[in-house]
Amino acid sequence: MPSWRSAPLLCLYYITYRCNAGCRYCDIWQRQDLRGVRDADPYEVVSNLRQLRAAGVRFVDFTGGEPLLYKQLPEVLREAKALGFYTTVTTNTLLYPARARELRGLVDFLHFSLDTLDPAKQRLWRKRPDPEHVLESVRIAKAMGEAPDLLFTATKESYRELPSLARLAAELRCELIVNQVFCASPEHALDEPALAALDRFRAAPFVYLNRAFQRLRREGGNSTRAPRCRAVSATVVISPDNELLLPCFHRACARLPIAGDLAAALASPLRRRFTRLQGRLAFCQGCAINCYFDPSFLWRIDSFFVESQLSKLRYGLDKYLRARAPFPRQTARRGA
């Protein structure tokens, strides 16, 4: 079935590779090739944002690393909002209490990472912060009228934390986004018992679990013979040192300098070549990295498209309707 979209939907904008949390399941802060890379120049970011809007991009995820380490984050967020983008920032919350006011109203999808409510387990999976710090950030955000989400990265070790986190999400009336650990090869994928454990929460209030992505994982991830990945078509990936990364950040085998002309980079023969090869390269076999497949599911109207859209509909109902409804007489108790 042919694609029905013609423009990329999402920009994954890596504004810094620096991080202050040291999550065990993330390798960005450990990679030698990323150490010493400068943070994004805010003037380059603003120039690229204007060209991204002209190219049809609608969503910009300012990511890293830890994006709140980027001093000019409010500045580039204001520009993104002025241009009409929907903005996303995911943070470990270590800096959120200090920066909350300057970010107020600038982030459409504000995600706070939380792995567990058990401080001992938290220390095993990341160096910082403790769970209470995340909960304090939720209280601060809500007091300012923000609607933060909790982001749970499910790994082979942590997926059993989902029941307690789901109860917490219902108590706080925050959406809990279940994001399986990034998996570029089948050996790192969650096994069937873990997937089944996640499935039990598909209909739970305030839990977002993308049914299309669950199915993709069960079917072994991307197939190079019939690729579902549209990483190049659906996303634009920009590095802090102002390069277009192809075909994606996690498997970047080409870096195209933007040099002030993102439009030319997007129309370049190199990007066209990777567009033809997306999902078909040898390392694409079995890949299942959510940040590329989530927009890829929108690229073709099929069963993946339908399942993904139904999941997003539930997210919207929880976040924009259920969260604003009057509290019931009794709320879920943490750890009950």
Side-chain angles (χ1 to χ4, degrees):
M1 184 180 295
S3 297
W4 67 281
R5 296 193 61 87
S6 58
L9 182 69
L10 166 69
C11 175
L12 296 168
Y13 210 127
Y14 286 81
I15 51 177
T16 182
Y17 289 143
R18 296 179 295 132
C19 192
N20 53 358
C23 301
R24 179 178 165 187
Y25 49 76
C26 174
D27 70 343
I28 292 177
W29 62 276
Q30 305 176 66
R31 283 175 48 176
Q32 293 291 332
D33 62 313
L34 301 183
R35 293 185 180 180
V37 175
R38 67 172 174 88
D39 287 355
D41 183 316
Y43 297 102
E44 292 174 342
V45 176
V46 169
S47 173
N48 289 335
L49 287 174
R50 292 170 181 169
Q51 295 178 76
L52 285 166
R53 196 67 183 92
V57 172
R58 299 299 305 278
F59 296 83
V60 180
D61 185 351
F62 292 100
T63 187
E66 167 52 47
L68 268 62
L69 285 169
Y70 184 64
K71 182 180 179 181
Q72 298 88 357
L73 182 59
E75 175 185 334
V76 299
L77 282 167
R78 277 193 294 271
E79 180 66 22
K81 294 300 296 176
L83 289 167
F85 286 109
Y86 296 100
T87 57
T88 300
V89 170
T90 300
T91 174
N92 58 42
T93 74
L94 280 168
L95 295 175
Y96 184 76
R99 305 204 68 181
R101 291 196 177 278
E102 59 181 328
L103 298 175
R104 183 178 184 179
L106 298 177
V107 186
D108 295 294
F109 303 99
L110 179 62
H111 300 160
F112 293 161
S113 295
L114 182 63
D115 301 321
T116 177
L117 297 178
D118 184 335
K121 290 180 180 177
Q122 181 83 345
R123 287 190 290 272
L124 287 176
W125 296 332
R126 63 171 70 195
K127 295 178 182 178
R128 303 166 68 195
D130 61 48
E132 185 54 42
H133 194 285
V134 180
L135 300 183
E136 177 62 20
S137 293
V138 171
R139 289 189 283 270
I140 292 170
K142 281 182 167 285
M144 294 193 306
E146 304 280 53
D149 297 325
L150 298 174
L151 179 66
F152 169 53
T153 300
T155 69
K156 289 181 178 180
E157 293 79 23
S158 70
Y159 75 88
R160 295 181 180 86
E161 304 301 302
L162 181 53
S164 61
L165 293 176
R167 287 192 290 270
L168 173 69
E171 178 183 334
L172 296 176
R173 294 195 167 202
C174 285
E175 193 73 4
L176 178 68
I177 299 173
V178 181
N179 190 22
Q180 295 182 38
V181 65
F182 286 167
C183 174
S185 54
E187 63 265 23
H188 298 119
L190 300 187
D191 56 19
E192 179 55 37
L195 292 173
L198 299 187
D199 270 342
R200 287 196 285 273
F201 288 83
R202 288 199 315 184
F206 297 104
V207 175
Y208 171 72
L209 185 68
N210 193 305
R211 293 163 55 182
F213 193 70
Q214 285 282 96
R215 178 182 152 202
L216 180 77
R217 278 286 176 97
R218 281 197 165 92
E219 294 181 359
N222 183 70
S223 168
T224 54
R225 292 186 176 182
R228 198 60 184 76
C229 177
R230 296 293 184 272
V232 183
S233 298
T235 67
V236 177
V237 185
I238 302 177
S239 71
D241 45 1
N242 206 32
E243 295 176 327
L244 194 64
L245 303 182
L246 297 167
C248 63
F249 168 80
H250 296 84
R251 293 292 196 179
C253 52
R255 292 170 169 82
L256 183 61
I258 294 172
D261 197 345
L262 177 60
L266 293 175
S268 67
L270 182 63
R271 183 172 178 268
R272 289 201 300 270
R273 175 174 175 266
F274 275 99
T275 300
R276 292 192 298 271
L277 294 173
Q278 62 187 345
R280 300 181 185 278
L281 296 160
F283 52 68
C284 298
Q285 181 62 38
C287 179
I289 299 180
N290 182 58
C291 60
Y292 303 110
F293 281 95
D294 193 40
S296 292
F297 291 145
L298 300 177
W299 219 252
R300 191 170 71 220
I301 299 178
D302 59 5
S303 57
F304 282 107
F305 173 94
V306 172
E307 289 180 301
S308 181
Q309 290 301 98
L310 287 174
S311 300
K312 291 181 184 299
L313 176 61
R314 287 199 69 254
Y315 170 86
L317 291 174
D318 278 346
K319 188 175 181 72
Y320 302 111
L321 293 179
R322 184 176 286 168
R324 297 177 182 178
F327 275 95
R329 293 183 179 179
Q330 292 183 341
T331 57
R333 293 184 179 179
R334 194 181 314 164

